[in-house]
Amino acid sequence: QVQLVESGGSSVQAGGSLRLTCAASGRSFDRYAVAWFRQAPGKERDFVAAIGRRTSDTYYADSVKGRFTISRDNAKKSVYLQLNNLNPEDTAIYSCAALSVIVTAIPPREAHGYTYWGQGTQVTVSS
């Protein structure tokens, strides 16, 4: 079992950057794939990015590709989401989620595929 806590959300102006952290507690964090999702007011929760057990296995939504970067540090039991060149459409609550997978598994892009969730962190981008 793993517990997840997000941090790093803030209010920034368009063009700015943020770094979100998903900190995990529990055992065997390296056995989990981790994804970031976001949900804007009145909208559905959307996939943003995911990272598999191998740090090179990263996946992105088309809307953030080239602007956001996901990474992990298993020694610190953390997954990071670097957000660059932010625009108002990126405003949302960002949540991380984890799923125990085999090494070669491709993380799902559907929220229902994940077992553990954090409480979320607010990102607000003003124009």
Side-chain angles (χ1 to χ4, degrees):
Q1 194 169 6
V2 64
Q3 293 78 42
L4 305 173
V5 178
E6 303 93 335
S7 62
S10 183
S11 296
V12 297
Q13 290 193 330
S17 297
L18 286 173
R19 188 195 197 202
L20 306 183
T21 299
C22 175
S25 60
R27 299 172 63 180
S28 304
F29 177 68
D30 61 318
R31 297 183 179 180
Y32 290 83
V34 178
W36 286 94
F37 291 82
R38 67 185 181 184
Q39 187 166 20
K43 295 188 177 181
E44 295 185 351
R45 182 163 49 189
D46 290 332
F47 170 81
V48 175
I51 188 164
R53 288 180 56 177
R54 295 179 295 206
T55 56
S56 58
D57 292 346
T58 58
Y59 308 87
Y60 298 93
D62 289 343
S63 59
V64 306
K65 200 172 296 182
R67 299 188 300 124
F68 292 6
T69 303
I70 190 170
S71 61
R72 69 187 298 160
D73 184 337
N74 288 336
K76 295 183 178 180
K77 295 185 179 180
S78 293
V79 168
Y80 308 100
L81 186 67
Q82 179 68 39
L83 290 65
N84 295 331
N85 194 21
L86 285 161
N87 59 63
E89 290 69 38
D90 295 316
T91 295
I93 296 175
Y94 286 69
S95 300
C96 63
L99 172 69
S100 180
V101 295
I102 61 174
V103 171
T104 56
I106 297 174
R109 294 180 177 239
E110 298 76 22
H112 64 76
Y114 289 85
T115 308
Y116 304 104
W117 287 82
Q119 83 291 346
T121 186
Q122 176 71 48
V123 172
T124 303
V125 185
S126 58
S127 58

